[in-house]
Amino acid sequence: MPIEVISSGILTTIQDLGRPGYYHLGIPIGGAMDRMALRSANLLVGNPEGAAGLEAVFMGPELEFTEAATVAVCGADLPPKVNGDIRPVWSAFPVEPGDVLSFDFLRSGARAYIAVSGGIATPPALGSRSTYAIGALGGIEGRAVQSGDSLPLGPGKATGRAGKEIPEALRRSPGSPTELRMLSGLYWHRITEDSQQAFFQDTWKVANEADRMGYRFQGGRATEFVQREQPFGAGSDPSNITDACYPYGSVQVPSGTEPIILHRDAVSGGGYFMIGTIISADMDFIGQLQPNTPTRFVHVTMDDALKARAERNTNLAAVREALA
């Protein structure tokens, strides 16, 4: 029996862990912007970690259940309500046929992940149910959730999960001010030494242009470029390059003014240089940043990045053990 969507909120999409393997064709991995939060919500309700759930931005949907299920909400502090009664985040709770799940006001973060036992069972596209609206892939007919939609659930409903919770010490969230660790990139030499230092010294703020494709930051000093001859095939702006591939987490500074971090639905290549890449362990944090959030970039080495990834994996293993 499906879930009936009464109201979709601001932007609610179906997301899993994405569709790897197609980036060379221009199709991004997509999937949950905060992968740890989606994994945690799925573990709470007894789903595989990569099962499809709902990603709600700033404001939650209103959903009516037509069968009993277990639900969990992780990520942003967007308190869920069952028939008007508040339920805790990062915890599993039951719903019965006819129950309505809604949400209180956002308290912190930006994206909440709603997992339901059985998982959302819309048809997969290229191996994933994740919504990639630009390419009309996944989700519901390639789009976000809308009022009046019916969301099918998969088999194997979990029982006896209600009351389980993830210990607070294992709930990853960005600090204040947020620190995003970055490896310098292939084009780091294209900016002056003074600008290299200023980039890490300044406090930036998240701009209003912050979505699944990328996050723009403003408020720091403008970047100064090393003089060069315009390369064949590149644009005339000093930040232009001959088109190249973009790794996830790439940090671009078009015209040297406002850095942009490319995220899950970003394009796979283009003509702007990349001064660095945010490490994988910090990519989840970006999806939880609201506009105007103070942010610092921190320069790290590859050894630092690998250590951070190992620490993130250790945290995930502890979540699995806590819910075993």
Side-chain angles (χ1 to χ4, degrees):
M1 298 288 285
I3 300 170
E4 303 298 336
V5 180
I6 301 171
S7 172
S8 60
I10 294 177
L11 179 63
T12 300
T13 57
I14 296 169
Q15 301 293 344
D16 53 27
L17 294 181
R19 48 179 63 83
Y22 300 96
Y23 202 43
H24 66 294
L25 301 176
I27 300 173
I29 188 172
M33 287 190 70
D34 186 343
R35 296 164 74 87
M36 182 66 182
L38 177 65
R39 288 179 183 272
S40 298
N42 275 321
L43 286 168
L44 279 166
V45 301
N47 289 343
E49 293 176 27
L54 298 176
E55 178 183 270
V57 184
F58 297 140
M59 178 180 175
E62 188 173 3
L63 310 172
E64 181 177 357
F65 288 81
T66 59
E67 64 178 286
T70 305
V71 179
V73 179
C74 296
D77 190 357
L78 186 66
K81 300 188 291 185
V82 177
N83 302 326
D85 295 328
I86 293 283
R87 298 290 186 269
V89 293
W90 298 91
S91 301
F93 55 88
V95 292
E96 300 296 334
D99 282 351
V100 173
L101 175 68
S102 60
F103 291 83
D104 205 4
F105 295 108
L106 179 69
R107 297 175 183 173
S108 64
R111 288 171 173 81
Y113 293 84
I114 307 161
V116 182
S117 52
I120 305 296
T122 48
L126 299 180
S128 170
R129 295 182 170 89
S130 286
T131 307
Y132 177 46
I134 296 173
L137 292 174
I140 299 177
E141 300 176 350
R143 59 166 171 80
V145 172
Q146 296 178 359
S147 302
D149 285 340
S150 294
L151 307 178
L153 292 176
K157 309 295 188 296
T159 58
R161 305 290 298 182
K164 289 184 176 291
E165 66 175 7
I166 293 176
E168 192 165 347
L170 299 179
R171 304 174 188 180
R172 297 182 77 236
S173 61
S176 181
T178 297
E179 292 189 347
L180 298 177
R181 291 167 286 185
M182 187 188 91
L183 288 165
S184 54
L186 291 175
Y187 301 91
W188 184 242
H189 66 284
R190 287 286 305 114
I191 64 176
T192 65
E193 185 174 342
D194 286 346
S195 286
Q196 291 174 355
Q197 295 175 0
F199 183 81
F200 294 117
Q201 291 169 351
D202 290 349
T203 297
W204 302 82
K205 287 189 177 181
V206 177
N208 290 329
E209 299 88 349
D211 56 27
R212 292 186 51 81
M213 289 191 68
Y215 265 57
R216 184 186 295 270
F217 294 80
Q218 54 192 196
R221 281 169 280 182
T223 298
E224 297 176 349
F225 298 95
V226 174
Q227 293 295 317
R228 62 152 188 187
E229 288 188 18
Q230 181 180 341
F232 177 78
S236 59
D237 189 282
S239 63
N240 288 144
I241 57 171
T242 304
D243 282 8
C245 298
Y246 293 156
Y248 292 109
S250 292
V251 182
Q252 304 174 347
V253 193
S255 300
T257 54
E258 297 179 344
I260 300 172
I261 301 175
L262 302 186
H263 220 280
R264 305 292 181 203
D265 284 358
V267 296
S268 57
Y272 286 113
F273 77 163
M274 299 146 281
I275 62 170
T277 304
I278 302 302
I279 67 173
S280 62
D282 288 357
M283 286 292 285
D284 285 350
F285 294 149
I286 299 169
Q288 296 298 350
L289 301 183
Q290 298 180 11
N292 296 313
T293 300
T295 305
R296 299 286 301 273
F297 294 96
V298 178
H299 191 232
V300 296
T301 65
M302 180 61 75
D303 285 344
D304 295 328
L306 293 174
K307 180 180 178 181
R309 185 170 68 178
E311 290 171 349
R312 180 199 58 190
N313 290 339
T314 298
N315 180 268
L316 177 58
V319 170
R320 293 173 181 142
E321 183 176 355
L323 299 177

